Amino acid sequence: MVRTPRDPEGRMPLREHLVEARRRIVRIAVGLLLGAVVGWVLYDPLLDALMQPLQQAADRRGALIGLNFDGVATAIDMRVKVSLFLAVIVSSPWWLYQVFAFVTPGLTRTERRYVFGFLAAAVPMFLAGSLLAWYVLPFVVEVLNDFVPEGGSNLIGAQLYLSFVMRLILACGIAFLVPVFMVVLNLMGTVRARTWLAGWRWAILISFLFAAIVTPTMDVLSMFGIAVPIAALYFVATGICFVHDRRVDRRRVAPVE
C-alpha cells in the first residue's frame, strides 16, 4: 500500500479526513467509557450530591420532596446515565483535545501553537461553567419547589430530574467554551475583534435568553448568575482579540530592515 505524501500545508484528501474523524471518535468513545467506569464506582456519592438540593428544599418547606423511580429498570437506567454524565465531565480534557487535534492538521505551525495554547484554557473554562451551574442548581430547585402547596408532596421522576441537571450543567460548560473559540478564530485571522464588538448587543441578548432557558424559574438572581458571567467572558475575549489585532497591525506597518 502506497502512503500519500503529507501536504506541507496540512491539506488532506477526503478519505483521510474521514479516517481521521473515525479515529478521533473512537478515542473519544474509549475515554468516555473509562470515565463511565469511574462514574459507576462513584455513583452512590454522586447521587447523594444530586439529591442534596431536593433534600434541602424538603427540609425548608416541610414537605415530601424526593426522586421517584417509576419503572422496573429506572434504577439501573439512572445509574448508567449518571455514570455517563460524570464521564463527560471527567474526560473533558481528553475529548476536547481530540476535537482540537482533528482540526490541527489543516493549520499552519503558528496556528497550531495558538490552538494548543488555548486548549489549556478550554478545559478549565468548561469546568468553570459546569461548577457555576452546580452552584446555581440549589437555588433553581428551591424556587421551583416553592410552588408546592403546604402539606403537599413533590415526587419528581428520577429520569426527568437527571435530564434537567445534566442539561443545566453541560449547557453552561459548553457556553463557557464560546470565548475560547472566539479568541482562537481571531488568532487564526478568521474574525477580527471589531466584528465581535459589533455584535455585543446580540451577545448580551443571547446570554440572557440562554440563562432563561437553562434556568426555567422566576428567580432573577439565578438567571443573572449565569447570564452575567457569560456576557462578561464575551467582552473579555473581545478585549484579548483587540490586543492581538493591534499587534498584528503594528507588524504589518513596521518597516522592513
Side-chain angles (χ1 to χ4, degrees):
M1 179 177 179
V2 180
R3 292 181 60 87
T4 304
R6 183 175 292 274
D7 192 297
E9 297 182 5
R11 291 174 299 197
M12 300 169 58
L14 178 60
R15 178 182 176 84
E16 290 189 21
H17 272 294
L18 296 177
V19 172
E20 181 68 13
R22 183 181 62 182
R23 183 183 299 116
R24 298 297 175 184
I25 292 174
V26 170
R27 291 179 180 178
I28 290 174
V30 172
L32 290 175
L33 180 61
L34 295 176
V37 172
V38 177
W40 186 275
V41 174
L42 300 177
Y43 171 74
D44 290 332
L46 183 59
L47 182 62
D48 291 339
L50 290 173
M51 293 180 61
Q52 189 65 29
L54 293 176
Q55 294 174 354
Q56 293 175 354
D59 295 338
R60 193 176 76 80
R61 295 283 299 171
L64 177 60
I65 300 174
L67 294 183
N68 179 32
F69 293 82
D70 53 354
V72 177
T74 301
I76 184 66
D77 190 36
M78 182 82 168
R79 183 158 191 157
V80 172
K81 289 185 177 180
V82 170
S83 301
L84 291 175
F85 168 66
L86 185 62
V88 174
I89 304 296
V90 173
S91 65
S92 57
W94 176 249
W95 57 260
L96 281 171
Y97 166 76
Q98 296 301 326
V99 171
F100 278 101
F102 175 71
V103 177
T104 52
L107 304 179
T108 65
R109 182 174 299 178
T110 302
E111 291 171 340
R112 291 182 190 180
R113 185 170 66 249
Y114 287 139
V115 168
F116 281 106
F118 277 88
L119 173 62
V123 173
M125 290 294 286
F126 176 80
L127 296 177
S130 301
L131 288 175
L132 175 65
W134 183 259
Y135 174 77
V136 173
L137 177 63
F139 299 99
V140 175
V141 173
E142 181 178 338
V143 171
L144 289 176
N145 281 281
D146 279 342
F147 293 94
V148 178
E150 292 291 338
S153 61
N154 184 19
L155 297 178
I156 306 172
Q159 302 278 18
L160 182 64
Y161 179 71
L162 178 61
S163 298
F164 169 74
V165 174
M166 289 175 60
R167 183 172 67 249
L168 175 64
I169 293 178
L170 293 180
C172 288
I174 294 174
F176 269 52
L177 292 178
V178 172
V180 179
F181 284 103
M182 288 172 57
V183 176
V184 169
L185 290 174
N186 176 259
L187 294 177
M188 293 169 56
T190 306
V191 182
R192 300 265 306 175
R194 293 186 180 277
T195 303
W196 295 128
L197 184 61
W200 70 270
R201 293 180 180 86
W202 284 104
I204 294 178
L205 176 62
I206 293 174
S207 297
F208 278 90
L209 285 177
F210 172 80
I213 292 173
V214 299
T215 59
T217 68
M218 298 175 60
D219 182 16
V220 178
L221 291 179
S222 298
M223 186 179 69
F224 270 79
I226 291 180
V228 171
I230 293 176
L233 287 172
Y234 181 90
F235 286 103
V236 170
T238 302
I240 295 175
C241 294
F242 265 110
V243 172
H244 174 257
D245 287 349
R246 186 172 300 176
R247 291 177 179 175
V248 172
D249 293 340
R250 285 176 180 174
R251 293 195 197 107
R252 288 176 179 174
V253 300
V256 181
E257 297 181 359

